[in-house]
Amino acid sequence: DAGITQSPRHKVTETGTPVTLRCHQTENHRYMYWYRQDPGHGLRLIHYSYGVKDTDKGEVSDGYSVSRSKTEDFLLTLESATSSQTSVYFCAISEWDTTYEQYFGPGTRLTVT
Amino acid sequence: GQQVMQIPQYQHVQEGEDFTTYCNSSTTLSNIQWYKQRPGGHPVFLIQLVKSGEVKKQKRLTFQFGEAKKNSSLHITATQTTDVGTYFCAGSARQLTFGSGTQLTVLP
């Protein structure tokens, strides 16, 4: 498995609170991604990064922001969590551009009550 | 935007039976990738197909990319309990778009 860790692995939070999820890689890959996985929807891209401080939106970016201040770290922030953001969040990395194979972290299960 | 449809959503097979999942894109793809996710796990990259009409095999798994580069299939011969999981296709045009997956259950 690629060297990708996510923290926390599980989190329960209340509606309206801010939440930050962290993804850390040791592969020095340029591209990093945040996905959410919900039953029946597969994996949906939230945001991705193509370098330090370079990020772009995916198909379900509303309510989420990201930051990447170092090659190895990619943060996903829910400014004010809502119940619709209850999901499993996966970080992924790829060495080249967004069309190349991706390697996934173990995931974070987030529950918003 | 680009859409990738995958069928069936669920498949139950008896151990030893074959299994096929199909993937269709609304647009022509530059490549298609397949991933497997075990229950409680994360998606794991299996293979990438790039050429029109390409066929690749990995032991009991056969992957095909359509001539028009808009569809693909994954066929598993003689399923085993270790094949249990969800299989995702992911089509690549400007970005990688995942299908909704086929959840495979193998009954012993």
Side-chain angles (χ1 to χ4, degrees), chain B residues 5-98:
Chain B
M5 309 299 292
Q6 193 172 350
I7 58 169
Q9 189 172 358
Y10 303 97
Q11 184 79 59
H12 295 244
V13 299
Q14 208 72 37
E15 188 173 18
E17 293 182 338
D18 293 356
F19 159 77
T20 305
T21 174
Y22 300 90
C23 190
N24 287 284
S25 170
S26 57
T27 59
T28 302
L29 302 170
S30 58
N31 69 61
I32 192 137
Q33 300 169 21
W34 286 91
Y35 294 77
K36 177 183 179 181
Q37 183 176 20
R38 287 198 162 94
H42 59 276
V44 175
F45 173 77
L46 293 177
I47 206 162
Q48 176 174 280
L49 305 172
V50 178
K51 298 177 183 177
S52 169
E54 189 170 14
V55 178
K56 286 188 176 181
K57 293 189 176 184
Q58 288 181 348
K59 297 182 181 178
R60 296 177 293 104
L61 277 62
T62 301
F63 304 84
Q64 293 188 324
F65 200 10
E67 294 289 340
K69 301 184 75 172
K70 296 181 75 172
N71 59 74
S72 181
S73 65
L74 158 60
H75 180 82
I76 302 178
T77 303
T79 54
Q80 299 175 358
T81 54
T82 54
D83 296 324
V84 164
T86 301
Y87 293 84
F88 293 97
C89 63
S92 178
R94 290 178 57 246
Q95 288 184 1
L96 202 61
T97 300
F98 282 81

Side-chain angles (χ1 to χ4, degrees), chain A residues 1 9 35 37 39-45 48 56-59 90 98-107, chain B residues 9-10 30-31 33 35 37 40-45 47-48 86 88 92-101:
Chain A
D1 282 348
R9 294 292 313 281
Y35 290 90
Q37 184 174 39
H41 289 278
L43 292 150
R44 293 182 291 174
L45 182 64
Y48 70 98
D56 205 352
K57 296 179 180 180
E59 65 174 300
F90 286 101
T98 58
T99 65
Y100 280 76
E101 63 263 31
Q102 297 182 10
Y103 298 92
F104 285 79
Chain B
Q9 189 172 358
Y10 303 97
S30 58
N31 69 61
Q33 300 169 21
Y35 294 77
Q37 183 176 20
H42 59 276
V44 175
F45 173 77
I47 206 162
Q48 176 174 280
T86 301
F88 293 97
S92 178
R94 290 178 57 246
Q95 288 184 1
L96 202 61
T97 300
F98 282 81
S100 55

Side-chain angles (χ1 to χ4, degrees), chain A residues 56-110:
Chain A
D56 205 352
K57 296 179 180 180
E59 65 174 300
V60 290
S61 60
D62 287 349
Y64 302 94
S65 63
V66 290
S67 66
R68 191 170 178 198
S69 59
K70 296 186 291 185
T71 298
E72 58 266 34
D73 289 326
F74 193 31
L75 304 181
L76 176 70
T77 298
L78 291 66
E79 300 291 346
S80 177
T82 66
S83 58
S84 65
Q85 293 176 312
T86 293
S87 188
V88 178
Y89 291 86
F90 286 101
C91 173
I93 63 174
S94 67
E95 188 169 6
W96 305 110
D97 66 31
T98 58
T99 65
Y100 280 76
E101 63 263 31
Q102 297 182 10
Y103 298 92
F104 285 79
T108 294
R109 182 172 296 277
L110 176 67

